[in-house]
Every structure is written in C-alpha cells, then in structure tokens.
Amino acid sequence: MNEKPHKKVFPVELLRVKDGSLRFAHGSWHLTLELEKFDLPNCFENEFAEVYQAIETNIRIEFSDPSPEQMAGRIIQFDLPNEELEGSMYLGHAHHPIDIFELDASTLDAPPSKPCSISFKAKIVLTHEGLDYGPGVEYDDCLIAYKLQLTPEGEGWLIGPADPMPLAGS
C-alpha cells in the first residue's frame, strides 16, 4: 500500500536576501536575489537522525513591460498563470517556479536617482517538481513577500539585505 507523502510547511524564514539587483534592459525586468546560505533537514542522509544540508541559491524573476517610468508609482496585480512573468529558485536539485501575484512599485524612483523600495508577494511552487527531503515527506507550496530597499547604481538598482515576510495561507 502506497502512503501519500506528508506535506511539510516550508520554512520561508530561511529565505533571507543577502543582496541582489534590479535591472530593466531591452524591454525586460531582471530581478536577482542572492539568498543567505541556509540549512534544510535531509532525512536521506541518515534515517535515524536529522542531518542538515547546506543550501546556496538565489531567486530570479524576469518579466516584460511596463517600462520603469510606467511602473513607478503603481501597485500591479498579476493574473496567474502569467506567461510573461518567469521566476524560479533552484532548490533540492530542481527549479521551482515562483509566481508573483502583486508588485508594489509605489515608491520606485525611475529612472534610478535616489534610494527607494519595491515589494512583492509571490507563491513558490515546490510541488511542480517536488521538494522531497525524506521518505514520505515533501514540502508544500508556500507564499512569501519581500520589501526590498533599492540603491541606484547606473541604469538599475542594487538590493540590500531583506528578511522574508510569510503570508497567510503558507
């Protein structure tokens, strides 16, 4: 008899941003968030004791339109699924889609000339390829939000450290 795997809540508090960048080039936005190294339990290493696996990864999101000037001052709701918006995170030997459903650029300064911030709300789809860290244990999809502090640099922005904000339902 096959048992259904137990779905675990992914510890989104581990997804702390170390630094990153936001660029608009050739009609597309490129958001890269380098995450601080973190540990996840890996039950495959030893079935009798929890062993932790060190994880180094990043979040990458790309989407087209609107231009920085058109996006500044707006809160944008995205319909899902959105084929124009691609996001992912490499974790556990698989790419996991990230679906952004709200982007708050109400304080975005465009073109970049002074510090500002953006925030977004997203769903990390861990069930697409599966994030399995032990016999019968899988992580479920999770919701997350970030408020990112931006510092202008050239034609884009640098992003400073940020803690994730779990959303209800994750």
Side-chain angles (χ1 to χ4, degrees), residues 7 87-88 94-99 123-131 138-141:
K7 298 283 187 174
S88 69
H95 283 280
H96 300 283
I98 296 178
D99 296 330
K123 177 180 181 180
I124 302 174
V125 184
L126 299 172
T127 54
H128 178 68
E129 290 191 33
L131 181 58
E138 291 181 1
Y139 285 106
D140 206 354
D141 297 345

Side-chain angles (χ1 to χ4, degrees), residues 11-101:
V12 295
E13 65 275 4
L14 298 177
L15 303 179
R16 299 176 57 152
V17 174
K18 180 172 46 175
D19 56 38
S21 64
L22 177 65
R23 305 268 184 249
F24 185 79
H26 309 291
S28 293
W29 288 94
H30 305 273
L31 173 65
T32 301
L33 301 176
E34 297 296 333
L35 300 179
E36 291 182 5
K37 190 175 185 178
F38 62 93
D39 294 328
L40 268 184
N42 184 348
C43 299
F44 288 119
E45 297 296 325
N46 183 337
E47 64 183 281
F48 303 106
E50 218 169 59
V51 175
Y52 286 85
Q53 177 182 5
I55 306 287
E56 291 186 70
T57 191
N58 59 45
I59 293 173
R60 293 183 185 271
I61 298 168
E62 294 184 6
F63 60 98
S64 58
D65 292 328
S67 71
E69 292 78 11
Q70 293 169 326
M71 191 165 77
R74 296 178 54 200
I75 298 174
I76 302 169
Q77 305 283 329
F78 292 99
D79 293 327
L80 297 178
N82 183 335
E83 294 170 8
E84 300 293 318
L85 180 100
E86 295 184 18
S88 69
M89 176 175 63
Y90 190 76
L91 184 62
H93 310 293
H95 283 280
H96 300 283
I98 296 178
D99 296 330
I100 292 184
F101 54 88

Side-chain angles (χ1 to χ4, degrees), residues 101 142-144 165-170:
F101 54 88
C142 59
L143 302 176
I144 194 166
M165 300 175 290
L167 295 173
S170 58

Side-chain angles (χ1 to χ4, degrees), residues 130-164:
L131 181 58
D132 186 353
Y133 269 85
V137 177
E138 291 181 1
Y139 285 106
D140 206 354
D141 297 345
C142 59
L143 302 176
I144 194 166
Y146 286 101
K147 182 170 185 172
L148 304 170
Q149 300 302 317
L150 309 177
T151 304
E153 188 210 39
E155 297 296 312
W157 297 267
L158 296 178
I159 298 171
D163 290 335

